[in-house]
């Protein structure tokens, strides 16, 4: 086990695992899971009554997803969303570059706390972007 890993807070309990898997199985019946580049997925699923929830990489963290998501992708994503038939909600870090790229859409801000472990937390602001008012 890696040094410092705190498993005392783990919610894993093998005695209820079977029950949890059964509930998950029921919840996911009729659900299709697809793994596609965002442009293909948007194109394939876009209908007037579709609601997309988008959780792209944070602006400035594109290098975490090398060759998959670049700064140009934010521009491309914003253009695709401008021509969407359905609805979308997108959550992202609140930075001026994102506000400029997604100008014209509805913005809401939410205060959040990041915590990678129990000892450190960081206050930050998330931007919720949508093509309809709340
Ligand atoms: C902030 S994470 C979202 C995590 C996810 N919502 C979750 O709760 O586990 C960003 C996600 O974007 C995905 N991603 C990166 N480039 C992509 C692309 N070109 N098309 C579709 N998804 C992409 C990554 O694989 C990653 O899962």
């Amino acid at each position: 086990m890696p040094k410092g890993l705190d498993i005392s807070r783990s919610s894993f309990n093998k005695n209820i695992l079977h029950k949890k898997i059964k509930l998950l199985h029921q919840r996911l019946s009729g659900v299709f899971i697809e793994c596609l580049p965002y442009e293909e997925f948007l194109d394939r699923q876009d209908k007037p009554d579709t609601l997309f929830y988008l959780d792209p990489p944070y602006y400035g963290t594109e290098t975490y997803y090398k060759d998959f998501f670049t700064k140009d992708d934010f521009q491309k994503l914003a253009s695709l969303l401008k021509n969407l038939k359905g609805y979308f909600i997108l959550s992202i870090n609140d930075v001026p570059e994102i506000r400029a790229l997604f100008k014209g859409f509805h913005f809401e801000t939410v205060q959040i706390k990041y915590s990678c472990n129990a000892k450190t937390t960081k206050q930050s602001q998330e931007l919720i972007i949508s093509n309809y008012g709340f």
Side-chain angles (χ1 to χ4, degrees):
M1 184 192 327
K3 199 174 166 213
L5 185 65
D6 180 9
I7 58 162
S8 63
R9 292 159 52 92
S10 167
S11 61
F12 181 79
N13 178 347
K14 70 176 169 52
N15 298 319
I16 57 167
L17 192 58
H18 184 260
K19 191 179 164 199
K20 278 189 168 180
I21 290 173
K22 205 172 162 188
L23 287 170
L24 193 62
H25 171 76
Q26 285 166 359
R27 176 63 187 85
L28 291 178
S29 69
V31 172
F32 294 93
I33 297 177
E34 294 188 294
C35 182
L36 293 170
Y38 65 89
E39 58 272 56
E40 265 181 65
F41 183 75
L42 290 173
D43 183 52
R44 191 193 288 215
Q45 300 296 340
D46 189 20
K47 295 179 187 69
D49 61 350
T50 305
L51 172 63
F52 292 98
Y53 168 63
L54 302 152
D55 188 11
Y58 277 170
Y59 190 89
T61 67
E62 302 83 6
T63 50
Y64 298 174
Y65 303 92
K66 208 163 184 292
D67 302 330
F68 289 118
F69 213 91
T70 66
K71 282 211 163 74
D72 290 343
D73 280 302
F74 287 104
Q75 174 78 67
K76 193 170 156 189
L77 182 57
S79 302
L80 289 173
L81 293 175
K82 275 178 186 139
N83 296 309
L84 207 65
K85 295 188 204 97
Y87 300 95
F88 80 87
I89 300 171
L90 182 152
S91 54
I92 191 86
N93 50 335
D94 190 359
V95 293
E97 293 86 345
I98 288 291
R99 284 185 176 259
L101 284 167
F102 288 84
K103 198 173 168 208
F105 288 122
H106 185 85
F107 292 161
E108 290 268 323
T109 52
V110 180
Q111 301 299 316
I112 55 159
K113 275 185 187 160
Y114 296 113
S115 59
C116 293
N117 58 51
K119 291 178 195 123
T120 58
T121 56
K122 188 180 165 223
Q123 187 74 43
S124 193
Q125 187 159 291
E126 188 106 349
L127 195 59
I128 311 293
I129 307 174
S130 66
N131 59 352
Y132 65 99
F134 293 115

